[in-house]
């Protein structure tokens, strides 16, 4: 919405690199995105519907587990907003997620399921560039004000 | 878990002041907790199950709405972890929430409902102290590994 500064664009690239790493099940790429060093113990991640995972080790193990149990995942990011101040930056975005089951025998993709998650990602500037400090994703449960739709179908 | 530094304690107090303000439906107190100034447009909040709200104005309106529609709310914070680095700090915590309906005619409290939310709160250091930059709360949907319990009751 707002024109990006060079810094904000660098943060947005780091944000995209994070999702690319998960999408590609590339744990090495993810290792290079997630903050390390003195702040490693304060790295925190909340996967949608999960409790808080704290500490780089626990966070990386959770992603390894997710990658091992996900045959196909693709993120279409929308509403990407970046706020940078000094050495910290906050990204908010909507993850439009497409996941799929195992591929069919003929190599075609399994059936796909869509999902909607909102995320706040906090990045920290390091000598090597921006690194992910916090990722919090959560399901969007109520998109409109109409809460009665589900109650219509009683017989 | 880790002993708090003086800075971390200051952040924890700001975090508590945020929850106190919501608990007391004190919009003025909340005004003094939420970051203002050049970064006001990047203030972001995700209420549990909601999409992202971005910008201080929209965030404050959402809290005013929540306060107007909440007769009683109390937060018991657990697992409060603070990470401080320079002018930014990240708090993760579990909000054990008690909400209640309208008071009875005799003045006693209405029936109470419990809820479990995990939150990541990002604070920014200002000349006036630590201020809330981002609040992301999300429901904990799966506390244990047993996903089959709900499927047991088909007849």
């Amino acid at each position: 919405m707002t024109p990006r500064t060079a810094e904000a664009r660098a943060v947005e690239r780091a944000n995209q690199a994070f999702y690319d790493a998960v999408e590609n099940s590339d744990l090495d790429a993810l290792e290079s995105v997630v903050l390390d060093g003195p702040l490693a113990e304060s790295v925190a991640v909340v996967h949608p519907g999960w409790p808080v995972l704290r500490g780089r080790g626990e966070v990386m193990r959770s992603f390894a587990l997710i990658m091992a149990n996900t045959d196909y995942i693709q993120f279409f990011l929308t509403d990407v907003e970046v706020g940078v101040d000094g050495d910290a930056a906050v990204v908010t975005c909507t993850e439009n997620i497409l996941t799929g089951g195992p591929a069919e025998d003929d190599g075609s993709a399994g059936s796909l399921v869509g999902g909607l998650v909102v995320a706040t990602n906090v990045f920290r500037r390091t000598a090597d560039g921006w690194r992910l400090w916090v990722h919090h994703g959560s399901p969007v449960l109520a998109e409109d004000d109409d809460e009665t739709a589900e109650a219509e179908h009683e017989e």
Side-chain angles (χ1 to χ4, degrees), chain A:
Chain A
M1 204 164 277
T2 328
R4 299 268 196 272
T5 63
E7 270 190 339
R9 285 198 302 273
V11 171
E12 195 177 357
R13 280 195 299 275
N15 191 62
Q16 189 61 53
F18 163 60
Y19 288 104
D20 288 348
V22 179
E23 205 170 276
N24 299 327
S25 279
D26 188 340
L27 209 56
D28 290 339
L30 192 65
E31 287 277 356
S32 70
V33 169
V34 176
L35 189 62
D36 206 347
L39 285 171
E41 279 310 298
S42 73
V43 168
V45 161
V46 179
H47 300 296
W50 288 37
V52 179
L53 306 177
R54 189 107 190 179
R56 193 177 193 277
E58 195 175 350
V59 163
M60 293 307 301
R61 278 191 295 278
S62 76
F63 277 110
L65 193 71
I66 287 171
M67 288 173 180
N69 286 286
T70 305
D71 286 289
Y72 175 83
I73 189 162
Q74 196 168 1
F75 296 95
F76 300 94
L77 301 184
T78 53
D79 312 313
V80 181
E81 297 280 349
V82 181
V84 185
D85 188 37
D87 294 333
V90 171
V91 178
T92 53
C93 58
T94 302
E95 307 170 359
N96 303 270
I97 301 174
L98 212 54
T99 51
E104 307 289 340
D105 289 341
D106 64 0
S108 64
S111 58
L112 296 174
V113 187
L116 196 63
V117 163
V118 290
T120 55
N121 300 323
V122 184
F123 291 84
R124 192 74 201 154
R125 191 201 303 274
T126 73
D128 301 318
W130 292 93
R131 294 294 180 266
L132 185 71
W133 191 8
V134 175
H135 163 68
H136 190 150
S138 65
V140 179
L141 304 178
E143 259 200 298
D144 52 47
D145 294 339
D146 184 8
E147 293 174 25
T148 59
E150 304 231 355
E152 305 284 76
H153 294 281
E154 307 219 353
E155 200 142 313

Coordinates of all heavy atoms in Angstrom, one line a residue, chain A residues 8-66:
Chain A
A8 N 12.6 -1.7 3.7 CA 11.4 -2.5 3.7 C 11.4 -3.6 2.7 O 10.9 -4.7 2.9 CB 10.2 -1.5 3.5
R9 N 12.0 -3.3 1.5 CA 12.0 -4.3 0.5 C 13.0 -5.4 0.9 O 12.7 -6.6 0.6 CB 12.5 -3.7 -0.8 CG 11.4 -2.8 -1.6 CD 11.8 -2.6 -3.0 NE 13.1 -1.9 -3.2 CZ 13.2 -0.6 -3.2 NH1 12.2 0.2 -3.0 NH2 14.4 -0.1 -3.4
A10 N 14.0 -5.1 1.6 CA 15.0 -6.1 2.1 C 14.2 -7.0 3.1 O 14.4 -8.3 3.1 CB 16.2 -5.5 2.7
V11 N 13.4 -6.4 4.0 CA 12.6 -7.2 4.9 C 11.6 -8.1 4.2 O 11.5 -9.2 4.5 CB 11.9 -6.2 5.9 CG1 10.9 -7.0 6.8 CG2 12.9 -5.5 6.8
E12 N 11.0 -7.5 3.2 CA 10.0 -8.3 2.4 C 10.7 -9.5 1.8 O 10.1 -10.6 1.7 CB 9.3 -7.4 1.4 CG 8.0 -8.1 0.9 CD 7.3 -7.2 -0.1 OE1 7.7 -6.0 -0.3 OE2 6.3 -7.6 -0.6
R13 N 11.9 -9.3 1.3 CA 12.6 -10.4 0.7 C 12.9 -11.5 1.7 O 12.8 -12.7 1.4 CB 13.9 -9.9 0.0 CG 13.7 -9.3 -1.4 CD 15.1 -9.2 -2.1 NE 16.0 -8.4 -1.4 CZ 16.1 -7.0 -1.5 NH1 15.2 -6.4 -2.3 NH2 17.0 -6.4 -0.9
A14 N 13.3 -11.1 2.9 CA 13.6 -12.1 4.0 C 12.3 -12.8 4.3 O 12.3 -14.0 4.5 CB 14.1 -11.4 5.2
N15 N 11.2 -12.1 4.3 CA 9.9 -12.7 4.6 C 9.5 -13.7 3.5 O 9.1 -14.9 3.8 CB 8.8 -11.6 4.7 CG 7.5 -12.1 5.2 OD1 7.4 -12.5 6.4 ND2 6.4 -12.0 4.4
Q16 N 9.7 -13.4 2.3 CA 9.5 -14.3 1.2 C 10.4 -15.5 1.3 O 10.0 -16.6 1.0 CB 9.6 -13.6 -0.1 CG 9.2 -14.4 -1.3 CD 7.7 -14.7 -1.3 OE1 6.8 -13.8 -1.1 NE2 7.3 -16.0 -1.4
A17 N 11.7 -15.3 1.6 CA 12.6 -16.4 1.8 C 12.2 -17.4 2.8 O 12.4 -18.6 2.7 CB 14.0 -15.8 2.1
F18 N 11.5 -16.9 3.9 CA 11.0 -17.7 4.9 C 9.9 -18.7 4.3 O 10.0 -19.9 4.5 CB 10.5 -16.9 6.1 CG 9.5 -17.6 7.0 CD1 10.0 -18.7 7.7 CD2 8.2 -17.2 7.2 CE1 9.1 -19.4 8.6 CE2 7.4 -17.9 8.0 CZ 7.8 -19.0 8.7
Y19 N 9.0 -18.1 3.6 CA 7.9 -18.9 3.1 C 8.4 -19.8 2.0 O 7.9 -21.0 1.9 CB 6.7 -18.0 2.6 CG 6.0 -17.4 3.7 CD1 6.1 -16.1 4.1 CD2 5.1 -18.2 4.5 CE1 5.4 -15.6 5.2 CE2 4.4 -17.7 5.6 CZ 4.6 -16.4 5.9 OH 3.9 -15.9 7.0
D20 N 9.4 -19.3 1.2 CA 9.9 -20.2 0.1 C 10.6 -21.4 0.8 O 10.5 -22.6 0.2 CB 11.0 -19.4 -0.7 CG 10.4 -18.4 -1.6 OD1 9.1 -18.4 -1.8 OD2 11.1 -17.5 -2.1
A21 N 11.3 -21.2 1.9 CA 12.0 -22.3 2.5 C 11.0 -23.4 3.0 O 11.2 -24.6 2.8 CB 12.8 -21.8 3.7
V22 N 9.9 -22.9 3.6 CA 8.9 -23.9 4.0 C 8.2 -24.6 2.8 O 8.0 -25.8 2.8 CB 7.8 -23.2 4.9 CG1 6.7 -24.2 5.4 CG2 8.4 -22.5 6.1
E23 N 7.9 -23.8 1.8 CA 7.2 -24.3 0.6 C 8.1 -25.4 0.0 O 7.6 -26.4 -0.5 CB 7.0 -23.1 -0.3 CG 5.9 -23.3 -1.3 CD 5.6 -22.0 -2.1 OE1 4.9 -21.2 -1.5 OE2 6.1 -21.8 -3.2
N24 N 9.4 -25.1 0.0 CA 10.3 -26.1 -0.7 C 10.8 -27.2 0.3 O 11.7 -27.9 -0.1 CB 11.5 -25.3 -1.3 CG 11.1 -24.3 -2.3 OD1 10.2 -24.5 -3.0 ND2 11.8 -23.2 -2.4
S25 N 10.3 -27.2 1.5 CA 10.8 -28.2 2.5 C 12.3 -28.1 2.6 O 12.9 -29.2 2.7 CB 10.3 -29.6 2.1 OG 9.0 -29.8 2.5
D26 N 12.8 -26.9 2.6 CA 14.3 -26.7 2.5 C 14.7 -26.3 3.9 O 14.8 -25.1 4.2 CB 14.6 -25.7 1.5 CG 16.1 -25.6 1.2 OD1 16.9 -26.0 2.2 OD2 16.5 -25.1 0.2
L27 N 15.1 -27.3 4.7 CA 15.5 -26.9 6.1 C 16.7 -26.1 6.2 O 16.9 -25.3 7.1 CB 15.6 -28.3 6.9 CG 15.3 -28.2 8.4 CD1 13.9 -27.6 8.7 CD2 15.5 -29.6 9.1
D28 N 17.7 -26.4 5.2 CA 18.9 -25.6 5.2 C 18.6 -24.1 4.9 O 19.2 -23.2 5.6 CB 19.9 -26.1 4.2 CG 20.4 -27.5 4.6 OD1 20.4 -27.8 5.8 OD2 20.9 -28.2 3.7
A29 N 17.7 -23.9 4.0 CA 17.3 -22.5 3.7 C 16.7 -21.8 4.9 O 16.9 -20.7 5.2 CB 16.4 -22.5 2.5
L30 N 15.9 -22.6 5.6 CA 15.2 -22.1 6.8 C 16.2 -21.8 7.9 O 16.1 -20.8 8.5 CB 14.2 -23.1 7.3 CG 13.2 -22.6 8.3 CD1 12.3 -21.5 7.7 CD2 12.3 -23.7 8.9
E31 N 17.2 -22.6 8.0 CA 18.3 -22.4 9.0 C 18.9 -21.0 8.8 O 19.3 -20.3 9.7 CB 19.4 -23.4 8.9 CG 19.0 -24.8 9.4 CD 19.2 -24.9 10.9 OE1 19.7 -24.0 11.5 OE2 18.9 -26.0 11.5
S32 N 19.0 -20.6 7.5 CA 19.7 -19.3 7.2 C 18.8 -18.1 7.3 O 19.2 -17.0 7.2 CB 20.4 -19.4 5.8 OG 19.4 -19.4 4.8
V33 N 17.5 -18.4 7.5 CA 16.5 -17.3 7.6 C 16.2 -17.0 9.1 O 16.0 -15.9 9.5 CB 15.1 -17.7 6.9 CG1 14.0 -16.7 7.3 CG2 15.3 -17.8 5.4
V34 N 16.3 -18.1 9.9 CA 15.9 -17.9 11.4 C 17.1 -17.4 12.2 O 18.2 -17.8 12.0 CB 15.4 -19.3 11.9 CG1 15.1 -19.2 13.4 CG2 14.2 -19.8 11.2
L35 N 16.8 -16.4 13.0 CA 17.8 -15.7 13.8 C 18.6 -16.7 14.7 O 18.0 -17.6 15.3 CB 17.0 -14.7 14.7 CG 17.9 -13.7 15.5 CD1 18.6 -12.8 14.6 CD2 17.0 -12.9 16.4
D36 N 19.9 -16.5 14.7 CA 20.8 -17.3 15.5 C 21.6 -16.3 16.3 O 21.5 -15.1 16.2 CB 21.6 -18.2 14.6 CG 22.1 -19.4 15.3 OD1 21.9 -19.5 16.6 OD2 22.6 -20.3 14.7
G37 N 22.4 -16.9 17.2 CA 23.3 -16.0 18.0 C 22.7 -15.8 19.4 O 22.0 -16.6 19.9
P38 N 23.0 -14.6 20.0 CA 22.6 -14.4 21.4 C 21.1 -14.4 21.6 O 20.7 -14.7 22.7 CB 23.2 -13.0 21.7 CG 24.2 -12.7 20.6 CD 23.8 -13.5 19.5
L39 N 20.4 -14.1 20.6 CA 18.9 -14.1 20.7 C 18.2 -15.4 20.4 O 17.0 -15.5 20.4 CB 18.3 -13.0 19.9 CG 18.5 -11.5 20.4 CD1 18.0 -10.6 19.3 CD2 17.7 -11.3 21.6
A40 N 19.0 -16.4 20.1 CA 18.5 -17.7 19.7 C 17.4 -18.3 20.6 O 16.4 -18.8 20.2 CB 19.6 -18.7 19.4
E41 N 17.7 -18.1 21.9 CA 16.7 -18.6 22.9 C 15.4 -17.9 22.9 O 14.4 -18.4 23.4 CB 17.4 -18.6 24.3 CG 18.3 -19.7 24.6 CD 17.7 -21.1 24.2 OE1 16.7 -21.5 24.8 OE2 18.2 -21.8 23.3
S42 N 15.4 -16.7 22.4 CA 14.1 -15.9 22.4 C 13.4 -16.0 21.1 O 12.3 -15.4 20.9 CB 14.4 -14.5 22.7 OG 15.0 -13.8 21.7
V43 N 13.9 -16.8 20.1 CA 13.2 -17.0 18.9 C 11.9 -17.8 19.2 O 11.9 -18.7 20.1 CB 14.0 -17.9 17.9 CG1 13.1 -18.4 16.7 CG2 15.2 -17.1 17.4
A44 N 10.8 -17.3 18.7 CA 9.5 -17.8 19.1 C 8.6 -18.0 17.8 O 8.6 -17.2 16.9 CB 8.7 -16.9 20.1
V45 N 7.9 -19.1 17.8 CA 7.0 -19.4 16.7 C 5.7 -20.0 17.3 O 5.6 -20.8 18.2 CB 7.6 -20.5 15.7 CG1 6.5 -21.1 14.9 CG2 8.7 -19.8 14.9
V46 N 4.6 -19.5 16.7 CA 3.2 -20.1 16.9 C 2.7 -20.5 15.6 O 2.4 -19.7 14.7 CB 2.3 -19.1 17.6 CG1 0.9 -19.7 17.8 CG2 2.8 -18.6 18.9
H47 N 2.6 -21.9 15.4 CA 1.9 -22.4 14.3 C 0.4 -22.3 14.5 O 0.0 -22.3 15.7 CB 2.3 -23.9 14.0 CG 3.8 -24.0 13.8 ND1 4.4 -23.5 12.7 CD2 4.7 -24.7 14.5 CE1 5.7 -23.8 12.7 NE2 5.9 -24.6 13.8
P48 N -0.4 -22.2 13.4 CA -1.8 -22.0 13.6 C -2.5 -23.0 14.6 O -2.4 -24.2 14.3 CB -2.4 -22.1 12.2 CG -1.3 -21.7 11.3 CD 0.0 -22.2 12.0
G49 N -3.1 -22.5 15.7 CA -3.7 -23.4 16.6 C -2.8 -24.1 17.6 O -3.3 -24.8 18.5
W50 N -1.5 -23.8 17.5 CA -0.5 -24.4 18.4 C -0.3 -23.5 19.6 O -0.5 -22.3 19.5 CB 0.8 -24.7 17.7 CG 0.8 -25.8 16.7 CD1 -0.1 -26.1 15.8 CD2 2.0 -26.6 16.4 NE1 0.3 -27.1 15.0 CE2 1.6 -27.4 15.3 CE3 3.3 -26.7 16.9 CZ2 2.5 -28.4 14.8 CZ3 4.1 -27.7 16.4 CH2 3.7 -28.5 15.4
P51 N 0.3 -24.1 20.7 CA 0.9 -23.3 21.7 C 2.2 -22.6 21.2 O 2.7 -22.9 20.1 CB 1.2 -24.2 22.9 CG 1.2 -25.6 22.2 CD 0.4 -25.5 21.0
V52 N 2.8 -21.8 22.1 CA 4.0 -21.1 21.7 C 5.2 -22.1 21.7 O 5.4 -22.8 22.7 CB 4.3 -19.9 22.7 CG1 5.7 -19.3 22.3 CG2 3.2 -18.9 22.7
L53 N 6.0 -22.0 20.7 CA 7.3 -22.7 20.7 C 8.4 -21.7 20.9 O 8.4 -20.7 20.2 CB 7.5 -23.5 19.4 CG 6.4 -24.5 19.0 CD1 6.8 -25.1 17.7 CD2 6.2 -25.5 20.1
R54 N 9.3 -21.9 21.9 CA 10.3 -20.9 22.2 C 11.7 -21.5 22.1 O 11.9 -22.6 22.6 CB 10.0 -20.4 23.6 CG 10.8 -19.2 24.0 CD 10.0 -17.9 24.1 NE 10.9 -16.8 24.2 CZ 10.5 -15.5 24.3 NH1 9.2 -15.2 24.2 NH2 11.4 -14.5 24.4
G55 N 12.6 -20.8 21.5 CA 14.0 -21.2 21.4 C 14.2 -21.8 20.0 O 13.3 -22.5 19.5
R56 N 15.3 -21.4 19.4 CA 15.6 -21.8 18.0 C 15.5 -23.3 17.8 O 15.0 -23.8 16.8 CB 17.0 -21.2 17.6 CG 17.2 -21.3 16.2 CD 18.6 -20.6 15.9 NE 18.7 -20.4 14.4 CZ 19.1 -21.3 13.6 NH1 19.4 -22.5 13.9 NH2 19.2 -20.9 12.3
G57 N 16.1 -24.1 18.7 CA 16.1 -25.5 18.6 C 14.7 -26.1 18.4 O 14.4 -26.9 17.5
E58 N 13.8 -25.7 19.4 CA 12.5 -26.2 19.3 C 11.7 -25.8 18.1 O 11.0 -26.6 17.5 CB 11.7 -25.8 20.6 CG 10.4 -26.6 20.8 CD 9.7 -26.2 22.2 OE1 10.3 -25.4 23.0 OE2 8.6 -26.6 22.3
V59 N 12.0 -24.5 17.7 CA 11.3 -24.0 16.5 C 11.8 -24.8 15.2 O 10.9 -25.2 14.4 CB 11.7 -22.5 16.3 CG1 11.4 -22.0 14.9 CG2 10.9 -21.7 17.4
M60 N 13.1 -25.0 15.1 CA 13.6 -25.7 13.9 C 13.0 -27.2 13.9 O 12.7 -27.7 12.9 CB 15.1 -25.7 13.9 CG 15.7 -24.4 13.7 SD 15.1 -23.5 12.2 CE 15.5 -24.6 10.9
R61 N 12.9 -27.8 15.1 CA 12.4 -29.2 15.1 C 10.9 -29.2 14.7 O 10.5 -30.1 14.0 CB 12.5 -29.7 16.6 CG 13.9 -30.3 16.9 CD 13.9 -31.1 18.2 NE 13.6 -30.3 19.4 CZ 14.5 -29.5 20.0 NH1 15.8 -29.5 19.5 NH2 14.2 -28.8 21.0
S62 N 10.2 -28.2 15.0 CA 8.8 -28.1 14.6 C 8.6 -28.0 13.1 O 7.8 -28.6 12.5 CB 8.0 -27.0 15.4 OG 8.3 -25.7 14.8
F63 N 9.5 -27.2 12.5 CA 9.5 -27.1 11.1 C 9.9 -28.4 10.4 O 9.3 -28.7 9.4 CB 10.3 -25.9 10.6 CG 9.6 -24.6 10.7 CD1 10.0 -23.6 11.7 CD2 8.6 -24.2 9.9 CE1 9.3 -22.4 11.8 CE2 7.9 -23.0 10.0 CZ 8.3 -22.1 10.9
A64 N 10.9 -29.0 10.9 CA 11.3 -30.3 10.4 C 10.2 -31.3 10.4 O 10.0 -32.0 9.4 CB 12.5 -30.8 11.1
L65 N 9.4 -31.3 11.5 CA 8.3 -32.2 11.6 C 7.2 -31.8 10.6 O 6.6 -32.7 10.0 CB 7.7 -32.0 13.1 CG 6.7 -33.1 13.6 CD1 7.4 -34.4 13.8 CD2 6.1 -32.6 14.9
I66 N 6.9 -30.6 10.5 CA 5.9 -30.1 9.5 C 6.3 -30.5 8.1 O 5.5 -31.0 7.3 CB 5.6 -28.6 9.7 CG1 4.9 -28.3 11.0 CG2 4.9 -28.0 8.5 CD1 4.8 -26.8 11.3

